[in-house]
Amino acid sequence: MTVEITGVCPDRFASVRDVFEANFEKDTPWGGELGARFSFAIDGEIVVDLMGGHADRKREVPFGPDTLTALFSTTKAVAALLVARLVDEGRLAYDQPVADVWPEFAQNGKGEVTVEQALSHQAGLSGFPDETDPALWFDWDATCAKLAAMAPLFPIGSASGYHPVTYGYIAGEIFRRVDGRTMGAALREDIAAPLDLDIWIGLPDSEHGRVADLMRPTAMPQFGEINAALTAAFLKPWSSPGGKGAAEWRRAEIPSANGHATAPALARLMGALASGGSLDGRSLITPAGIKAASAERIRGRDLVLPYEISWGAGFMRNEPNLFYGPTAEAFGHSGWGGSCAFADPTRGVSGAYVMNKQGAALIGDPRAVKLIEAAYASL
């Protein structure tokens, strides 16, 4: 089947188009894309924006400019930026205890957990070890209360143990306690609406018709050594939200997992982090704020993701894996199934990849890695 590729791709970036087209070939390890989009920006301006394939499983609806895709953990990059803005404004500090703004969080020995430890997955709260109704995740206050009361699954600060879903509630509740708004509301009011960025945490019903169908991975991820933190994070029946249906999932605000966006909107947002903190003349964060947010908090073998990872304050730093191009100082986040968004302040570039056929890689999906490598090679 011939797939129509549309969008913008100057001759200079012809190799990016070649890789994008090749990702649709059936003889690839992932069996070809269903629908996908890749955007690459220089100083916040989109220079490459390629899309193709279909938004639905029946292959009847083209994957078009208005198609929204579920981001899963790529949403964490947006959440990290929202917290970084509070720190940049002097309303929060990375080194202060979470309990300063959320007193209930101090239960079970968590009184000294700092904001930066919580954001860099060092708090030991990667998931709920005890039996939990999967529908609890749709009750924000109940989920936060359970996290506040929970005992850490590993010694605080001893390692990172990726918090796939709980991160959003921890970061989101810190944000709400300081700002008074949810992250989804602040994103729309302060960033997305003023800058016309098609990014959402908590999707209104009016936008549901634009969301691409998902095809789940055909293979299980390779988790590595099983431990308590990993089991709670990924392997329990209640490790992720359930029991409410797709519409309720889209409406919910889960800043770790259920953002929806287009690739160019993400690439432009990350473009602000790649070019001094401003987008379209509007300052989102200072250069010092970017540096503080992306600075390394911990590095080593993660207890949940089977990789050595360098974590910033919610951002996944590019070294040592180099999933986001060749620059060590780049940072961003990847999402379950393959999506990603990144910023590279040293080169002034940013990018995003979204798709609706999910792969089995936990991070560093080869489809995205090849596109990003081709984009850098074209600079």
Side-chain angles (χ1 to χ4, degrees):
M1 181 185 298
T2 301
V3 175
E4 182 182 6
I5 306 299
T6 61
V8 177
C9 187
D11 291 343
R12 173 186 178 188
F13 293 96
S15 62
V16 180
R17 185 185 180 97
D18 291 343
V19 171
F20 190 76
E21 291 177 340
N23 281 349
F24 283 86
E25 296 294 331
K26 296 298 184 185
D27 61 355
T28 56
W30 50 90
E33 297 274 27
L34 174 59
R37 192 171 186 178
F38 176 69
S39 298
F40 189 71
I42 299 176
D43 294 331
E45 295 298 320
I46 299 295
V47 293
V48 175
D49 181 24
L50 292 168
M51 71 202 84
H54 296 88
D56 65 325
R57 296 186 194 93
K58 294 182 179 179
R59 301 179 188 268
E60 296 173 349
V61 180
F63 198 105
D66 295 327
T67 300
L68 289 172
T69 56
L71 302 177
F72 294 96
S73 287
T74 299
T75 312
K76 291 181 175 72
V78 182
L81 171 58
L82 289 167
V83 175
R85 282 164 50 84
L86 292 182
V87 175
D88 201 38
E89 293 163 1
R91 302 165 67 190
L92 182 71
Y94 284 127
D95 60 358
Q96 77 178 101
V98 173
D100 280 1
V101 299
W102 181 3
E104 300 91 333
F105 192 83
Q107 296 174 72
N108 258 315
K110 302 195 302 299
E112 300 304 314
V113 175
T114 63
V115 172
E116 61 191 350
Q117 285 177 320
L119 294 177
S120 56
H121 307 276
Q122 299 182 63
L125 306 176
S126 55
F128 297 129
D130 55 312
E131 187 168 353
T132 302
D133 183 350
L136 180 78
W137 296 106
F138 293 94
D139 186 331
W140 182 272
D141 290 339
T143 301
C144 288
K146 190 173 178 69
L147 285 167
M150 182 177 161
L153 294 172
F154 55 87
I156 294 162
S158 64
S160 67
Y162 183 57
H163 294 32
V165 183
T166 56
Y167 169 94
Y169 295 87
I170 297 168
E173 186 65 4
I174 292 169
F175 184 91
R176 189 182 70 84
R177 295 283 178 129
V178 175
D179 185 83
R181 295 173 294 172
T182 65
M183 279 188 161
L187 172 65
R188 292 306 307 164
E189 293 167 11
D190 297 349
I191 299 175
L195 291 167
D196 194 26
L197 298 178
D198 203 356
I199 306 174
W200 310 77
I201 300 175
L203 192 67
D205 286 10
S206 60
E207 311 301 319
H208 288 200
R210 299 195 286 130
V211 178
D213 292 346
L214 280 177
M215 288 183 68
R216 303 289 186 180
T218 57
M220 284 289 290
Q222 298 298 311
F223 286 114
E225 183 179 347
I226 304 300
N227 56 55
L230 166 61
T231 300
F234 282 125
L235 302 181
K236 293 292 188 181
W238 55 86
S239 291
S240 60
K244 291 285 188 178
E248 197 68 21
W249 161 258
R250 292 168 183 163
R251 291 186 198 110
E253 291 191 25
I254 305 176
S256 50
N258 81 332
H260 290 78
T262 65
L266 281 173
R268 279 178 37 77
L269 179 65
M270 298 302 286
L273 297 175
S275 51
S278 295
L279 187 64
D280 295 347
R282 185 185 183 94
S283 177
L284 299 184
I285 188 171
T286 66
I290 298 169
K291 186 175 181 179
S294 60
E296 182 175 270
R297 269 40 183 224
I298 190 167
R299 176 198 289 254
R301 179 77 172 189
D302 192 86
L303 297 178
V304 174
L305 295 173
Y307 300 90
E308 181 179 340
I309 300 176
S310 171
W311 289 106
F315 291 110
M316 188 177 290
R317 303 178 77 245
N318 199 27
E319 57 179 4
N321 298 298
L322 300 181
F323 292 142
Y324 310 130
T327 308
E329 292 78 13
F331 59 90
H333 217 288
S334 300
W336 178 52
S339 68
C340 71
F342 73 94
D344 179 354
T346 65
R347 301 292 294 273
V349 301
S350 59
Y353 166 76
V354 300
M355 76 300 127
N356 59 346
K357 184 176 184 179
Q358 296 183 297
L362 288 166
I363 53 176
D365 189 287
R367 295 169 292 180
V369 169
K370 290 175 184 294
L371 286 164
I372 295 168
E373 288 175 348
Y376 270 93
S378 302
L379 292 174

